[in-house]
Amino acid sequence: MEASVEQLVYVREDEYTVARMTDEQGAGFVATGRALAGVQPGETLRLTGEWGEHARHGRRFQVATCERVVPSTVRAIQLYLGSGLIRGIGPRLAQAIVSHFGDSTLTVIDTEPGRLTEVVNIGPARQAQIVEAWREQKEIAALMVVLQGYGISPLLAAKIYQVYGSDSAGILKSDPYQLIGQVRGIAFHTADRIALRSGVSERSPQRIRAAILDRLESAAASGGHCYLSMTALLTQTAELIDQDQDLLRPVIDALTAERRIVVEAAPDQVVVYSKELHSREVKLAEQLARLWQARSTLPMRDFREDPDLHDDQRAAVTMALTSTVSVLTGGPGCGKSHTVRAIAATARAMGGRVTLAAPTGKAAKRLSELTGLQAMTVHRMLAHEPDPDALFDQVPAQADLIVVDEASMLDLHLATRLCSAVPSGSHLLLVGDSDQLPSIGPGSVLSDLLRAEEIPRVRLTHVFRQADGSGIVRNAHRIRSGELPAIPGGGGFWFEEVDTPEAVAERVVHLATVAIPRKQRVDPGQVQVLCPMRRGAAGTAELGRMIQERLNPARDGQPEHWSGASVFRVGDRVMPIRNNYDKGVFNGETGTVTRIDQEQRQVELVIDDGDPVTYGFDELDDLTHAYAISVHRSQGSEYPFVVAPIVAEAGGIMLRRRLLYTLVTRARSWVVLVGDRRALELAVARLGRPRNTMLTRRLTQTLQ
C-alpha cells in the first residue's frame, strides 16, 4: 500500500519504529518495524508487510519493506510540504502553494521553480530557499537508497550529506573509509561494509590503513588511551579485519613515514600514538616544564596564616603561593573549596591578580558558590574575552595565580591549551579529586601530575565535623578505600535492593519523578538520574525516555521533532555533548528547549546561564537529553538529589570503584542507589585499568 506518515510515535535505538499513517483513502492506521528507520512525518511511503494484532495496542501493519515515493494526492502533497521537511515552508504556506498549483505542485517546484513567486508571501529570497531545500531533500532521499543497497541504515544519509553535500554518493563509491571520523555515527565497520561491497579487496592497503587508525582512535575515544602498545595494535587490527599481522607491518611503516602515527620506544615495549595525541602529550610536558622552571611574578609580601585552617590546608596555601605549578587534591568534606578561597584571598592581599576557572559551566558556577569568588569556564578564559566589570582578571596573561578546579576533568587537549596560555611566572594550581573518574577525552592529566615527584602537591585528608555527619561523605570515603558502603547509610545515603534491570528502571523513574519530589516538596528538576551505562533497560537512553514520557509527554498540537531515537519537545532538559565555540556552548552545560521551529528546521534552547542558542535539525547529534545522564557527564556538577541504577546488566562492564565514588559525590543532600547488592560489591571491588599515557615519564625526564 501507499500511505503518508502523520506522526512518529516511538523510535528505538535499534531503529524499530512505530508511526501513525494515513492510507490513500484517508484511513488511519499504525505501522511498525525496522524498515521504517529514518522516515519523517509528511513522507509518502510504499509499504509491504502484513497485518498483526498486538496484545496491548491492537491492530498494526508490520512493515517488511519501505520505499519512499513522490506524494501524488493534493492532501499528501500538502502534508509533505507542511511537515517541515522543506526548510522555508510551514503549514500555512504549504496550504497556499497547494491551493495555487494543486496536484501539479511538486512538478512546478522541480521543473519551474520560478513560478513559486506567483504565491502570496513568496519573494525571490524565500523562493531560492525553497528550491535549495527541495534539491537537498531529493539528494538525501537518493542517498538513502544508495545506503540501503549497501545494507546501511538510511538514518546516516542526512549526516553524510551534511559533511559532503552533492559529492556524497561519489565519496561512498571511491573512498568510504574517508567517512570515519568525519561523519558522526560511521565507524570502521560501517565504512568497511560499504568498501567491501564496492569491490575493495580485504587485503587492500587502504583497508589496513583505515583499520590501524581506527584502532588508535577507538582506544582514545572509548578508553581514554593516548597510545597502544605495538603488540596490542597488531592484535586488535588483525582481529578487526581478519587478516594476518604480517600484512600490517608495511602499512605501519608507511603511516610512520607519512607522520600519521608515531612509533616510540618505552620501557619494556614499543608503543604507537596517533600524530595528534603524541604532539599534544609532548607539548603539554614542555609547557608544564616551562611553567615549573619560571621565576614567579606573584608579589611575595608577608601574609598572615588563617588560624581557622587545618595544618594541611595551611601547607596548601604556602605551596600555591611559592610554587609556579602545584596540585591540591582530596576527597569530599576535606575543605578543598575553603582552601581555594583562602589561597585566592591571600594572593590578592599580597597584591596578586587571581583567576578562578573550571572545565564546565556547572563546575565554575559551583566553584563560585562554594568559594564566594567569581569563576569561569576554562574555555571562556582561553577565549580572551575579559569582562571589564569582573572582580578578577579573566585572561591568563593578566593573572599571577590561576586556579583550575575539577582538574580531573582536564583531558590532554584542554590541558595543553590551558598550559600554553599561561605566561611564564604565573602560578598554576590544579585542584581536584584524583579518585574521581578521569576526563571524558584522552589522557589522565591530574593523576599523571600526582605521579610526577617533582611537582609539589598537597592531599587534604582531614574530614571536617560538619561533613563527617553526612552519610554521603562517609560512604564516599569507604568506597574510595575499597570498603562497601554502610547499609543502611543514613545521613542522605540510601540503597534499595531490587532484582531485575526492568524493575530497577521502574523504581528509579518513580523515585525521580514522584517519590522524592513529593517527599522533599521539590520540583522533579531537582532530582538527577545518573547511570553507569548508556544501553540496557537501566541505561541512560531507556531511563531518559521513560522520564521524558512522564514529565514531558507528547501533546496534541505541540510541535516535536525526532532525530534518530530521540524526540525533542518544548520544555525538554538537554545537554550539549560537544564544544561549539561559534554558539558559545560547551560540553556539560544544561539548558531547556524553548521552541521548535519546523518551518526553519531548528530547535531553540536557553542554556542555564540565560544565553539563547539555536541548533538546526541536522545538528541535534550535538545534544542529548538530560533526564538521565552518564556519570562521566555529571563530573563537575552537584545535584540536590541523585538517583542511580546499580545493575550488573551486560556484565556490568562500566561498574568500577572510581565510577561509583564519582556518582556518590555528585549528590548534595540525598543519593539513592537502586539495584543488585552483587553489582554494588562488584563496583567497589573493581579498580579499572589505568590509561595508557607517558606524560609523567616525559615530565620527569624534562625536569631532571
Side-chain angles (χ1 to χ4, degrees):
M1 71 174 77
E2 285 193 7
S4 299
V5 183
E6 297 282 344
Q7 181 186 13
L8 295 179
V9 177
Y10 176 60
V11 182
R12 212 162 56 195
E13 290 234 322
D14 64 359
E15 299 182 354
Y16 177 84
T17 301
V18 179
R20 290 196 177 95
M21 311 285 292
T22 303
D23 65 19
E24 292 177 295
Q25 287 71 46
F29 66 97
V30 173
T32 68
R34 290 188 180 87
L36 293 171
V39 302
Q40 291 291 320
E43 291 185 313
T44 298
L45 310 174
R46 182 175 294 122
L47 307 175
T48 65
E50 59 184 27
W51 292 100
E53 195 73 22
H54 190 278
R56 283 181 56 197
H57 302 293
R59 194 166 183 254
R60 292 178 161 197
F61 190 71
Q62 298 166 357
V63 179
T65 67
C66 165
E67 176 188 355
R68 288 167 174 80
V69 296
V70 177
S72 55
T73 67
V74 169
R75 182 187 181 284
I77 292 170
Q78 184 170 326
L79 177 65
Y80 175 70
L81 291 181
S83 67
L85 280 169
I86 307 300
R87 182 180 284 107
I89 302 180
R92 290 184 181 178
L93 189 56
Q95 182 178 8
I97 294 171
V98 175
S99 295
H100 188 78
F101 295 115
D103 57 11
S104 300
T105 296
L106 299 185
T107 301
V108 169
I109 295 175
D110 201 31
T111 62
E112 302 177 273
R115 291 188 59 195
L116 284 170
T117 55
E118 297 174 13
V119 180
V120 175
N121 292 329
I122 297 183
R126 176 68 64 89
Q127 183 260 356
Q129 182 185 34
I130 292 171
V131 170
E132 176 63 18
W134 171 260
R135 182 186 64 80
E136 286 183 5
Q137 281 302 310
K138 285 183 63 177
E139 293 185 351
I140 290 172
L143 196 58
M144 286 180 171
V145 175
V146 172
L147 290 175
Q148 286 175 316
Y150 289 124
I152 303 299
S153 168
L155 287 173
L156 294 171
K159 298 177 184 178
I160 295 172
Y161 190 85
Q162 184 183 358
V163 177
Y164 297 109
S166 299
D167 297 330
S168 298
I171 288 171
L172 281 175
K173 187 174 182 180
S174 63
D175 186 13
Y177 295 113
Q178 183 178 329
L179 276 62
I180 302 172
Q182 298 296 316
V183 179
R184 289 167 196 154
I186 295 188
F188 178 82
H189 285 293
T190 301
D192 195 44
R193 182 185 299 180
I194 298 171
L196 293 177
R197 293 195 177 190
S198 300
V200 172
S201 167
E202 291 183 352
R203 298 164 65 90
S204 162
Q206 178 191 26
R207 182 176 187 241
I208 296 170
R209 286 169 62 94
I212 291 168
L213 295 174
D214 175 78
R215 290 301 82 195
L216 291 174
E217 173 59 32
S218 178
S222 61
H225 299 301
C226 294
Y227 67 80
L228 284 177
S229 70
M230 179 67 79
T231 301
L233 179 61
L234 290 170
T235 300
Q236 292 179 23
T237 306
E239 289 176 353
L240 180 66
I241 60 176
D242 194 22
Q243 297 295 320
D244 193 277
Q245 291 188 15
D246 290 341
L247 283 175
L248 276 54
R249 295 186 183 277
V251 180
I252 287 176
D253 291 341
L255 287 169
T256 304
E258 296 168 17
R259 299 181 63 79
R260 295 289 304 277
I261 63 175
V262 176
V263 178
E264 187 172 355
D268 304 323
Q269 62 179 343
V270 174
V271 302
V272 185
Y273 283 82
S274 70
K275 174 59 179 174
E276 180 191 14
L277 289 182
H278 183 268
S279 296
R280 289 189 183 275
E281 193 176 81
V282 170
K283 185 173 183 180
L284 179 55
E286 291 173 347
Q287 294 300 322
L288 284 166
R290 171 182 63 83
L291 297 175
W292 183 81
Q293 294 163 345
R295 191 172 185 175
S296 171
T297 60
L298 182 66
M300 287 304 295
R301 302 173 188 166
D302 292 336
F303 62 90
R304 285 185 178 180
E305 290 189 342
D306 187 338
D308 294 331
L309 295 179
H310 191 265
D311 289 346
D312 53 7
Q313 291 180 305
R314 282 196 289 271
V317 174
T318 301
M319 173 190 70
L321 299 179
T322 57
S323 303
T324 49
V325 178
S326 58
V327 178
L328 173 62
T329 187
C334 292
K336 290 194 301 296
S337 299
H338 185 72
T339 307
V340 168
R341 181 165 54 190
I343 290 169
T346 305
R348 294 187 70 213
M350 293 164 53
R353 299 164 299 178
V354 179
T355 292
L356 302 184
T360 66
K362 276 201 169 183
K365 183 178 180 181
R366 182 166 169 249
L367 178 61
S368 295
E369 292 170 349
L370 292 173
T371 62
L373 307 172
Q374 184 174 342
M376 75 201 72
T377 65
V378 175
H379 300 286
R380 295 192 192 281
M381 180 178 71
L382 297 176
H384 300 292
E385 297 176 355
D387 180 353
D389 298 323
L391 295 175
F392 290 85
D393 299 292
Q394 293 187 307
V395 179
Q398 299 174 346
D400 299 301
L401 171 64
I402 299 168
V403 181
V404 179
D405 196 17
E406 296 289 352
S408 62
M409 300 175 66
L410 291 175
D411 64 12
L412 190 59
H413 304 290
L414 186 56
T416 303
R417 286 187 61 213
L418 168 67
C419 293
S420 299
V422 177
S424 298
S426 293
H427 290 224
L428 176 64
L429 172 65
L430 300 180
V431 182
D433 188 342
S434 58
D435 294 308
Q436 288 185 20
L437 286 170
S439 56
I440 293 177
S444 188
V445 175
L446 183 65
S447 294
D448 287 347
L449 289 183
L450 287 169
R451 285 194 293 269
E453 295 182 1
E454 293 79 8
I455 302 297
R457 84 288 310 274
V458 167
R459 177 181 288 275
L460 304 179
T461 58
H462 177 74
V463 178
F464 289 87
R465 183 179 303 171
Q466 63 269 28
D468 199 34
S470 164
I472 295 173
V473 171
R474 286 200 312 272
N475 279 319
H477 283 281
R478 288 178 66 92
I479 292 166
R480 182 180 62 81
S481 301
E483 300 177 67
L484 281 173
I487 299 172
F493 183 97
W494 307 92
F495 177 76
E496 289 194 17
E497 192 159 7
V498 179
D499 292 336
T500 67
E502 292 74 18
V504 168
E506 288 291 344
R507 182 57 179 161
V508 165
V509 171
H510 179 74
L511 284 166
T513 61
V514 178
I516 293 176
R518 180 187 296 160
K519 183 175 181 62
Q520 296 297 311
R521 298 181 180 179
V522 297
D523 185 89
Q526 297 292 300
V527 185
Q528 181 62 57
V529 173
L530 301 181
C531 302
M533 296 180 294
R534 184 177 184 277
R535 300 187 182 279
T540 57
E542 183 62 16
L543 282 173
R545 183 192 66 78
M546 293 170 69
I547 295 171
Q548 182 189 35
E549 287 307 307
R550 282 165 176 73
L551 297 182
N552 195 25
R555 295 178 175 86
D556 290 341
Q558 295 299 312
E560 63 179 31
H561 178 74
W562 284 86
S563 176
S566 299
V567 60
F568 291 86
R569 300 176 181 133
V570 172
D572 276 340
R573 294 289 293 161
V574 294
M575 172 182 286
I577 58 174
R578 292 179 183 87
N579 298 329
N580 188 314
Y581 298 96
D582 293 333
K583 296 182 188 296
V585 297
F586 302 104
N587 184 358
E589 294 182 323
T590 53
T592 303
V593 175
T594 55
R595 185 166 182 253
I596 295 175
D597 188 335
Q598 292 180 316
E599 181 174 327
Q600 293 303 319
R601 296 182 60 77
Q602 59 190 24
V603 170
E604 297 176 5
L605 55 124
V606 174
I607 298 297
D608 285 345
D609 63 7
D611 294 336
V613 183
T614 299
Y615 280 82
F617 284 177
D618 56 2
E619 298 178 300
L620 293 179
D621 276 355
D622 286 355
L623 294 178
T624 187
H625 288 86
Y627 296 110
I629 63 175
S630 70
V631 179
H632 246 126
R633 297 205 181 280
S634 73
Q635 283 182 272
S637 300
E638 190 178 71
Y639 311 96
F641 307 96
V642 168
V643 184
I646 304 295
V647 297
E649 190 177 16
I653 190 170
M654 295 302 294
L655 289 176
R656 298 286 189 273
R657 186 183 301 172
R658 279 190 171 191
L659 182 140
L660 182 62
Y661 174 80
T662 304
L663 186 162
V664 169
T665 55
R666 297 309 88 202
R668 186 163 59 243
S669 299
W670 275 25
V671 60
V672 183
L673 308 181
V674 182
D676 182 352
R677 187 181 293 264
R678 291 169 302 172
L680 186 64
E681 293 170 354
L682 182 68
V684 173
R686 279 174 155 173
L687 288 175
R689 180 184 169 189
R691 293 183 168 186
N692 295 343
T693 75
M694 288 207 293
L695 178 61
T696 301
R697 181 168 178 260
R698 295 186 198 284
L699 190 55
T700 299
Q701 290 175 340
T702 306
L703 297 180
Q704 284 178 347

